[in-house]
Amino acid sequence: MENIIALCKRKGFIFPGSEIYGGLSGTWDYGPLGVALKNNIKALWWKRFVTDREDMFGVDAAILMSPRVWEASGHVGGFSDPLVEDTKTQKRYRADHLLEEAGIDVKGMNIEAMDTNIKDLALKSPEGNSLGDVRQFNMMFKTHIGPVANDDSISYLRPETAQGMFVNFKNVLDSMHPKIPFGLAQIGKAFRNEIAPRDFIFRSREFDQMEVEYFVHPDQWKDSFEHFQNQVHEFISDLGIDRKKVHELEIGPEDLAHYSKRTIDFEYDFPFGKKELYGLAYRTDFDLKSHTEASGQDLSYFDEESKTRYVPHCIEPSFGLDRTVLATLCDAYTVDEVDGEKREYLKLSPKIAPVLVSVSPLLKNKPELVEVARKVYVNLKKKFGRVTFDDNGNIGKRYRRQDEIGTPFCVVVDFETLEGVKETGVMDTVTIRYRDSGEQERVAIADLVEKIEGLV
Ligand code: ATP
């Protein structure tokens, strides 16, 4: 992890949040390459779950929502984690994490049992001090709407994007007239006041989620659940992540969230352990029913064919974008040896690599080479966007630099190119060098776009 974090900082992927002020715990800033990677992942997700389908509708709801949303959803009453405090330093920890680290299985364990276990085992804080009582800590960030800060102006930063879709269910029904089954999809920020943010961007206080709420007839939930179970794996393959490192965990009844009848966690083998990457939940009609009761609005669906009215049930595949970025980086991070030298590089899929192609003239100080290379660059840039022009240092160093940020293809204009220009009057061939194998191939400039398209 240390190497990956260092590479992310050095190469402009991810920086600690507010770093010049000493950092702000649980926040991370994405730099130029990080935001490119993130946007490519978002686009891939949106394509698979929205634009490639006929039954999906995108929304982009406000982060600030009426506090009544969070009362109805159960978050005000129950969105909490077990907190325990070091009695000396007053530092706070997740009680379940401390127990897990002590080798205790916390599955199905309630807060009282955690408290008893910690006391029976006389568990100490990581600083070696005694611990206080375990208590629930609500993770929502509270804020005030408008100029007066009192109880009536309280609002929360959303802890999940899901509710933005449930509260717009009726709006989409009335404006788009979709037939069940259909889904709403959203990508956006979520905020959780995590007790102990850790493991780089794995657990932070501000992060992005990509979620689908898919509405079905209650008899259809099993089929849809299975469909999305497969879709999660397909998306993982789209990302180029090794599927062998992804494991399904069926959540036992004692650990299910209050809204769920079935949940599968998709875990990934991160360097710090096997941890949740995504979740898939059968949320029943819990949310639509709760919002119907709390808002007084009818959130049922009328089926024209069968002339029946019912409250749809919901299947929710939920993807953390930052955990996706982390899993792709961990999966891609590779160290090997090239020409007797250690090479550290990112084996990112061409579908998501921040830079797809880097174009160089073999030598920087030969204007004829530079001129042709600029033409090749402009042409590729117009087509793919994710293309850079790199003429710094010698060619070996450029390859290393591009390997390190995961650029799959380097195109080099050399003297053979110029010979071709001289002979034929048009630009002839260039070298294309492949990141993973280090192999090189000569390709006609006229075929370059097609060649690269075939590799993405
Ligand atoms: P965990 O058990 O790890 O806290 P969770 O079960 O609370 O996660 P969900 O409520 O199911 O997570 O949220 C859906 C997805 O959002 C998760 O699968 C994960 O990818 C992402 N996610 C949740 N919390 C965080 C966080 N603090 N930082 C980054 N991503 C997160």
Side-chain angles (χ1 to χ4, degrees):
M1 270 316 287
E2 270 172 28
N3 291 339
I4 293 169
I5 296 170
L7 188 150
C8 283
K9 171 116 201 281
R10 192 168 69 242
K11 291 299 185 187
F13 280 87
I14 301 164
F15 312 119
S18 312
E19 197 183 9
I20 61 166
Y21 288 98
L24 180 67
S25 161
T27 66
W28 297 92
D29 294 343
Y30 284 75
L33 296 188
V35 77
L37 176 60
K38 209 169 163 182
N39 284 341
N40 295 340
I41 292 173
K42 280 192 210 176
L44 207 57
W45 186 90
W46 197 257
K47 181 174 182 318
R48 170 168 288 282
F49 290 100
V50 183
T51 46
D52 278 358
R53 303 178 57 124
E54 292 179 16
D55 56 350
M56 223 48 112
F57 299 84
V59 295
D60 185 8
I63 288 172
L64 293 171
M65 303 179 83
S66 163
R68 292 175 63 199
V69 170
W70 305 111
E71 280 156 25
S73 68
H75 283 80
V76 171
F79 190 60
S80 45
D81 272 344
L83 174 147
V84 67
E85 211 172 275
D86 179 315
T87 51
K88 209 166 186 185
T89 63
Q90 272 75 51
K91 273 198 188 161
R92 292 161 165 204
Y93 299 95
R94 281 271 295 265
D96 51 339
H97 288 169
L98 293 184
L99 283 163
E100 272 171 358
E101 279 156 19
I104 309 291
D105 183 5
V106 293
K107 273 199 205 87
M109 199 182 274
N110 64 22
I111 192 159
E112 288 79 24
M114 284 187 202
D115 193 55
T116 311
N117 266 289
I118 284 183
K119 295 207 164 104
D120 286 353
L121 292 163
L123 272 193
K124 298 269 186 255
S125 75
E127 278 96 6
N129 303 316
S130 57
L131 293 162
D133 294 336
V134 180
R135 59 191 167 91
Q136 293 288 13
F137 172 76
N138 193 299
M139 295 201 289
M140 280 200 295
F141 278 100
K142 234 184 226 173
T143 185
H144 290 276
I145 299 275
V148 184
N150 60 23
D151 281 356
D152 294 334
S153 64
I154 287 177
S155 185
Y156 304 93
L157 302 185
R158 68 180 177 203
E160 61 176 26
T161 60
Q163 298 304 324
M165 290 177 269
F166 294 120
V167 302
N168 280 296
F169 173 78
K170 188 169 166 9
N171 280 335
V172 176
L173 268 191
D174 293 347
S175 55
M176 310 302 289
H177 312 290
K179 298 256 172 300
I180 293 266
F182 75 91
L184 300 182
Q186 174 164 224
I187 299 180
K189 287 277 185 197
F191 301 82
R192 295 183 187 180
N193 198 2
E194 294 280 354
I195 296 165
R198 61 181 187 177
D199 298 321
F200 194 29
I201 52 172
F202 177 82
R203 187 174 302 286
S204 38
R205 289 185 167 131
E206 176 179 338
F207 54 95
D208 276 277
Q209 289 185 318
M210 309 184 284
E211 293 193 301
V212 167
E213 305 304 329
Y214 196 75
F215 299 101
V216 299
H217 185 276
D219 292 346
Q220 292 299 310
W221 80 266
K222 280 193 177 135
D223 289 346
S224 283
F225 194 93
E226 244 169 62
H227 166 75
F228 282 106
Q229 194 176 353
N230 289 330
Q231 285 295 302
V232 171
H233 287 292
E234 291 301 317
F235 178 63
I236 288 168
S237 292
D238 290 348
L239 296 165
I241 289 178
D242 182 358
R243 278 169 77 152
K244 287 199 288 301
K245 288 197 184 152
V246 178
H247 315 276
E248 289 187 8
L249 174 73
E250 183 81 43
I251 303 298
E254 67 285 2
D255 282 325
L256 285 175
H258 60 281
Y259 53 75
S260 174
K261 276 240 173 87
R262 185 179 177 199
T263 295
I264 291 178
D265 281 354
F266 295 80
E267 299 186 317
Y268 175 78
D269 293 323
F270 287 101
F272 44 86
K274 190 163 79 169
K275 295 271 155 73
E276 175 176 335
L277 178 61
Y278 305 139
L280 172 64
Y282 170 37
R283 293 182 79 125
T284 67
D285 54 1
F286 173 84
D287 302 272
L288 290 182
K289 271 204 170 142
S290 302
H291 288 306
T292 299
E293 275 164 31
S295 68
Q297 299 280 326
D298 178 11
L299 302 182
S300 64
Y301 170 83
F302 184 71
D303 185 286
E304 291 289 348
E305 263 169 48
S306 62
K307 305 285 179 218
T308 51
R309 185 171 280 285
Y310 61 91
V311 178
H313 282 217
C314 183
I315 306 294
E316 176 198 70
S318 175
F319 303 74
L321 177 55
D322 308 76
R323 288 190 190 176
T324 309
V325 169
L326 186 58
T328 57
L329 288 172
C330 293
D331 220 67
Y333 182 80
T334 312
V335 178
D336 66 2
E337 211 174 87
V338 174
D339 303 329
E341 257 184 63
K342 183 181 147 199
R343 171 173 79 144
E344 191 185 26
Y345 74 106
L346 294 177
K347 223 179 203 172
L348 288 169
S349 156
K351 287 195 174 76
I352 57 171
V355 178
L356 181 66
V357 192
S358 161
V359 182
S360 309
L362 181 66
L363 298 172
K364 191 180 178 171
N365 54 6
K366 290 273 181 258
E368 331 68 287
L369 288 177
V370 175
E371 192 193 337
V372 178
R374 289 293 307 180
K375 277 190 192 153
V376 173
Y377 162 73
V378 168
N379 204 27
L380 291 178
K381 182 103 181 142
K382 238 190 277 165
K383 176 70 197 168
F384 297 109
R386 298 182 276 153
V387 181
T388 57
F389 188 80
D390 187 0
D391 62 1
N392 255 328
N394 69 38
I395 195 74
K397 287 222 176 82
R398 285 181 220 157
Y399 287 155
R400 281 304 157 80
R401 220 171 25 240
Q402 294 301 331
D403 289 350
E404 217 182 347
I405 63 168
T407 307
F409 314 116
C410 287
V411 166
V412 178
V413 169
D414 54 19
F415 292 104
E416 218 177 307
T417 316
L418 296 185
E419 283 306 307
V421 175
K422 247 188 253 159
E423 276 168 27
T424 61
V426 291
M427 291 193 282
D428 196 26
T429 60
V430 288
T431 305
I432 177 162
R433 183 256 186 192
Y434 299 99
R435 176 196 63 203
D436 301 349
S437 62
E439 274 165 20
Q440 301 185 13
E441 191 186 346
R442 278 213 88 76
V443 178
I445 293 174
D447 299 338
L448 207 48
V449 165
E450 206 182 320
K451 171 93 191 167
I452 292 168
E453 254 173 347
L455 296 166
V456 178

